[in-house]
Amino acid sequence: MMKYRLLLSFSRLLVLSVVLLSISSCGFQLRGSQQFPEHIQLVEVRSLSAHDPQARALAERLPVYQLGYTRAAAPADIANTVIIELRPENLDRRLLSVFRTGQVAEYELIYRVDYRLTFPGQEPVNAVVEVLREYQDDPDQVLAKSRELDLILDEMRAEAADRIIRLMASQASVPAVAVN
């Protein structure tokens, strides 16, 4: 019985080691573990409004990726600053289902952010992020559903910010193309 337990624990350890080695050898990285080049340390976020909620979401998410945030980079920092220019956000709803009475029961929320990403010494890249969520509407609980919609929208902004930063990380690793 003792040999069986020892053999079982050894085989589990062996299987775990093989799985970990295969995952690490294929280049797998956890989300949020993107590495930025050494020269990129600061992100300037520009938006039309000083109190843009998407700009706030980016400001909250950038420290997770060990990046600094600024609303206007100093001239001395411009060589290591990535610029994100946010355009106005857009929230649309698409009807998914209705009650027998004809009232809307469920929506699909579509949150869209257009932005321009500019790396030092490179041409700007225009991009779009779209985040989708399902939202169930209940006409009997208007106040609670209004608060729920605000929370869902905040989550969608945070997810959009993460996607923007991940795209920025993937674009940062692409070498700059020399223009003659």
Side-chain angles (χ1 to χ4, degrees):
M1 187 69 169
M2 184 72 158
K3 282 184 176 182
Y4 177 73
R5 285 186 181 173
L6 185 61
L7 184 61
L8 185 63
S9 65
F10 178 73
S11 63
R12 286 182 182 167
L13 182 63
L14 183 64
V15 168
L16 182 63
S17 299
V18 168
V19 168
L20 287 176
L21 282 173
S22 64
I23 287 176
S24 65
S25 66
C26 74
F28 174 80
Q29 289 183 350
L30 290 174
R31 238 184 204 181
S33 65
Q34 286 86 358
Q35 297 296 317
F36 288 90
E38 292 291 323
H39 68 281
I40 295 177
Q41 299 168 355
L42 193 62
V43 176
E44 177 181 336
V45 179
R46 298 178 183 169
S47 62
L48 296 176
S49 169
H51 303 290
D52 185 6
Q54 186 59 53
R56 267 197 321 266
L58 273 167
E60 291 171 1
R61 298 301 299 160
L62 284 169
V64 173
Y65 297 89
Q66 287 84 35
L67 292 169
Y69 164 80
T70 184
R71 295 282 298 168
D77 294 331
I78 208 71
N80 65 353
T81 302
V82 176
I83 300 170
I84 300 174
E85 297 175 55
L86 296 172
R87 309 231 168 68
E89 65 187 11
N90 186 11
L91 180 65
D92 289 326
R93 291 191 267 184
R94 185 170 54 195
L95 181 67
L96 292 180
S97 65
V98 293
F99 293 118
R100 280 185 248 158
T101 61
Q103 291 181 316
V104 176
E106 192 174 20
Y107 289 108
E108 180 177 51
L109 299 174
I110 305 164
Y111 178 77
R112 179 184 168 112
V113 178
D114 295 325
Y115 64 98
R116 176 181 283 183
L117 185 62
T118 308
F119 287 96
Q122 294 184 15
E123 290 294 317
V125 176
N126 291 319
V128 176
V129 169
E130 226 177 55
V131 179
L132 306 174
R133 290 282 189 283
E134 289 183 12
Y135 172 72
Q136 294 180 351
D137 199 10
D138 185 358
D140 296 332
Q141 298 180 0
V142 175
L143 289 177
K145 286 299 182 175
S146 173
R147 178 67 181 138
E148 181 183 356
L149 182 60
D150 290 341
L151 291 172
I152 290 172
L153 190 54
D154 287 343
E155 288 176 7
M156 293 171 84
R157 285 184 182 117
E159 183 176 333
D162 282 335
R163 287 186 186 180
I164 290 170
I165 294 168
R166 285 194 303 269
L167 177 73
M168 188 173 62
S170 69
Q171 293 290 322
S173 61
V174 176
V177 177
V179 179
N180 292 333

